[in-house]
Amino acid sequence: CSASANKPVLTLFTKKPCPLCDEAKEVLEPHKRRFILQEVDITLPENSAWYDKYKYDIPVFHLNGKFLMKHQVDIQKFEDELTKLELQND
């Protein structure tokens, strides 16, 4: 279906264990039908560039490839950006 093709992609830069990441995912749970969550484990060898960039900042979120927020979910900012993208797609 084309609707899911247009859903914004929220990328979560994470590692195991990451209690803050788990917390962030819980905060985003009510909105999960509105975006696709993609998790990037920064400890994997192929993600070493992200590790160097974000090792002290996770969780870090990118929305459609652009930096959005780090450390914790700013739900207002997230809502605003998500709504903007949804309006662009209509």
Side-chain angles (χ1 to χ4, degrees):
C1 97
S2 64
S4 70
N6 287 333
K7 272 192 197 175
V9 176
L10 185 68
T11 308
L12 165 59
F13 294 90
T14 184
K15 66 182 181 188
K16 299 274 184 267
C18 177
L20 286 175
C21 302
D22 297 337
E23 219 171 274
K25 284 191 277 191
E26 276 175 37
V27 174
L28 294 168
E29 183 72 20
H31 305 281
K32 71 172 192 241
R33 289 183 313 285
R34 295 172 61 196
F35 63 89
I36 296 161
L37 181 66
Q38 180 183 40
E39 292 189 41
V40 175
D41 184 337
I42 64 170
T43 61
L44 297 176
E46 65 267 27
N47 296 327
S48 62
W50 292 118
Y51 180 81
D52 293 340
K53 191 170 183 176
Y54 291 145
K55 60 186 167 204
Y56 302 120
D57 289 322
I58 60 168
V60 175
F61 292 94
H62 286 197
L63 190 59
N64 278 3
K66 291 210 302 266
F67 174 82
L68 181 65
M69 56 196 169
K70 65 184 181 183
H71 301 149
Q72 61 193 38
V73 173
D74 177 341
I75 203 69
Q76 195 56 58
K77 182 176 188 177
F78 175 70
E79 281 276 333
D80 293 348
E81 292 301 317
L82 198 55
T83 303
K84 254 187 247 173
L85 289 169
E86 287 167 346
L87 293 173
Q88 282 171 14
N89 286 333
D90 285 345

